[in-house]
Amino acid sequence: MRILVIGSGGREHALLKGLKADPLTTELHVAPGSPNFADLATVHPAYSKVDDPAQMLQLAQKIDAELVVVGPEVPLVAGVADELRANGIAVFGPNKSAAQIEGSKAFAKDIMNAAGVKTARAEQLVPGTSDAEIEAALDRFGPPFVVKDDGLAGGKGVVVTDDRAAAKEHVNEVHAAGNPVLLESFLDGPEVSLFCLVDGETVVPLLPAQDHKRAYDNDEGPNTGGMGAYTPLPWLPADGVQRIVDEVCKPVAAEMVKRGNPYSGLLYAGLAWGKEGIAVVEFNCRFGDPETQAVLSMLESPLAEALNATATGTLAELDELKWKDGYAVTVVLAAEGYPASPRKGDVITGPGLDDPNKVLHAGTSQAEGSPGVEEEVDVISNGGRVLNVLGQGATLAEARAAAYEVLEGLKLEGSFYRRDIGKRAEDGEISI
Ligand code: GLY
């Protein structure tokens, strides 16, 4: 099967690795990708407008793709899947109208209310809301204040803070950018990311994971797209995944079908499991990043087959997914200045850079080799989250140790990483 993956980050590198390992895959392409994906797929840097349905269709037709796997949310919300499907190409990823589950937080709330799914209380503040109304709304919600950009922010548009001035500043920033703000009540309890393959009302969960969104150790510093993740969750009750599927994912999938807007692709449920049970923090319409990098490293079943079954409406017939025993951890190596203003263009060195079982490339590129250096090309940083380092082990402690051993050998000036990914779970400090 000829498969095209759209995207260029660590999540897409993980998808390419998984798809390449499936004998069903005969040809693998990626747009725009990274030159560091070239061992796995044909890279198409000229096709960089991933939110341009016509350009993505042109490439899919040129390479005669039989399946297109869309990584990021932006092309999905822009209608890339609609355009491909309208031209007879199977797509892993929801249509534009169903991608609103991530594209509009107000839409997601409406679906959850109709489906009886528990979530945070929320109010939308549109640009132009008066200062007095913003102050009154802040009074109704915090502290702590949860202020979300009600547009696409790739997981980065959320500020959670006890500091009223910082909360208000974020409201004003989002309004200045022309987007509405969603104020939400704070949801207590440990967070779970559960990814489900969804084809209409059929829901197949992957392993549960936990992301670490703050930039620095001990959950300090600004919110980021995610600094690391581990899977599975040793503290989750034995029936935890099934409960999330039954209480959250299936009712939402059924509600979408009922509205004539069926979901097809990956439904990412971001949850908080507090004293009063499971509540949804957010939905995303695509694989989470960086959780996917850890989750897919544990998958034993063929990935292309699973994504193709979802894309072609035959998910109900897919064999049960099989997973490795043990744990996986991914830790993000971030560039100096991330998330505010990441420094780019620095050379990265160290063992494992060309081994996707150890290192996935999230924000890298290549440059001609430095004078006097043996390599013909240098791997250089080209984004905020630069590398996703992987570790696996029979225990969470072993998986963490494996990831940190690789990280210690990597060199990128000014870079940093969290040293406590999965640590609280390893120490038995998480309970629900
Ligand atoms: N890991 C957070 C996200 O993918 O949005």
Side-chain angles (χ1 to χ4, degrees):
M1 174 173 286
R2 287 176 299 279
I3 304 179
L4 167 64
V5 173
I6 295 177
S8 59
R11 167 186 49 207
E12 286 73 36
H13 201 184
L15 285 164
L16 291 170
K17 182 178 77 163
L19 292 168
K20 181 81 174 178
D22 184 340
L24 185 65
T25 308
T26 53
E27 257 182 56
L28 199 49
H29 297 258
V30 61
S34 150
N36 297 306
F37 296 171
D39 287 347
L40 296 174
T42 306
V43 183
H44 295 275
Y47 292 82
S48 60
K49 288 193 200 153
V50 296
D51 59 349
D52 177 351
Q55 191 184 91
M56 292 301 105
L57 175 65
Q58 194 191 22
L59 175 61
Q61 288 179 328
K62 183 174 129 178
I63 63 171
D64 206 5
E66 292 162 284
L67 172 67
V68 178
V69 178
V70 184
E73 63 280 13
V74 172
L76 294 166
V77 172
V80 165
D82 306 54
E83 181 74 2
L84 293 163
R85 284 198 179 100
N87 285 276
I89 300 169
V91 188
F92 182 83
N95 275 346
K96 181 177 178 166
S97 56
Q100 287 303 302
I101 197 101
E102 174 167 0
S104 163
K105 296 194 168 56
F107 174 91
K109 293 278 176 200
D110 188 44
I111 293 280
M112 283 187 272
N113 286 339
V117 171
K118 220 173 113 199
T119 183
R121 183 170 58 85
E123 270 181 46
Q124 198 190 45
L125 303 175
V126 293
T129 303
S130 72
D131 204 57
E133 282 173 278
I134 293 172
E135 292 288 357
L138 287 171
D139 285 342
R140 289 193 289 277
F141 278 88
F145 302 96
V146 180
V147 184
K148 294 186 175 179
D149 183 340
D150 192 17
L152 277 187
K156 295 181 275 288
V158 186
V159 165
V160 182
T161 180
D162 285 328
D163 178 348
R164 190 181 174 105
K168 194 167 167 198
E169 191 185 323
H170 192 52
V171 172
N172 290 331
E173 275 166 11
V174 174
H175 281 170
N179 287 344
V181 160
L182 216 60
L183 281 188
E184 288 193 351
S185 57
F186 180 71
L187 291 173
D188 214 0
E191 291 197 2
V192 180
S193 299
L194 186 70
F195 304 158
C196 294
L197 304 176
V198 176
D199 157 21
E201 294 206 35
T202 307
V203 174
V204 174
L206 309 187
L207 286 186
Q210 189 178 55
D211 192 8
H212 294 59
K213 295 224 172 64
R214 300 281 186 159
Y216 313 131
D217 283 6
N218 303 315
D219 292 329
E220 287 171 6
N223 245 44
T224 70
M227 293 296 290
Y230 64 97
T231 184
L233 308 178
W235 46 268
L236 203 65
D239 64 349
V241 167
Q242 196 56 48
R243 279 190 56 193
I244 297 168
V245 168
D246 292 342
E247 292 178 30
V248 174
C249 304
K250 280 197 169 171
V252 164
E255 177 62 26
M256 300 286 282
V257 169
K258 194 170 134 197
R259 291 182 180 209
N261 189 12
Y263 197 92
S264 170
L266 195 289
L267 181 66
Y268 167 145
L271 310 138
W273 197 318
K275 287 184 203 73
E276 282 155 34
I278 305 159
V280 173
V281 177
E282 64 176 2
F283 283 113
N284 293 314
C285 64
R286 37 84 193 170
F287 280 101
D289 191 341
E291 299 98 306
T292 299
Q293 290 81 315
V295 170
L296 290 186
S297 76
M298 298 295 281
L299 182 67
E300 276 187 344
S301 302
L303 181 64
E305 202 178 300
L307 302 190
N308 190 50
T310 311
T312 54
T314 56
L315 185 58
E317 291 147 41
L318 186 73
D319 288 343
E320 194 181 331
L321 294 178
K322 291 202 169 49
W323 300 94
K324 294 178 195 163
D325 291 331
Y327 292 85
V329 170
T330 186
V331 182
V332 169
L333 181 75
E336 181 179 336
Y338 178 75
S341 49
R343 168 175 155 172
K344 296 182 186 171
D346 294 301
V347 177
I348 314 164
T349 57
L353 267 183
D354 54 1
D355 179 355
N357 291 315
K358 291 185 174 159
V359 174
L360 296 167
H361 289 252
T364 70
S365 189
Q366 291 184 352
E368 229 172 90
S370 320
V373 175
E374 216 174 283
E375 285 82 12
E376 281 171 22
V377 291
D378 287 332
V379 176
I380 57 164
S381 59
N382 191 34
R385 293 188 291 176
V386 181
L387 300 175
N388 306 137
V389 175
L390 293 171
Q392 283 188 351
T395 63
L396 189 49
E398 281 176 31
R400 294 186 66 241
Y404 283 108
E405 191 183 323
V406 176
L407 267 159
E408 273 153 30
L410 294 168
K411 302 274 173 287
L412 167 63
E413 208 184 318
S415 64
F416 68 100
Y417 57 87
R418 278 184 63 157
R419 290 169 198 266
D420 63 349
I421 303 300
K423 177 87 171 78
R424 291 190 61 231
E426 181 194 322
D427 293 345
E429 286 175 9
I430 304 182
S431 59
I432 54 179

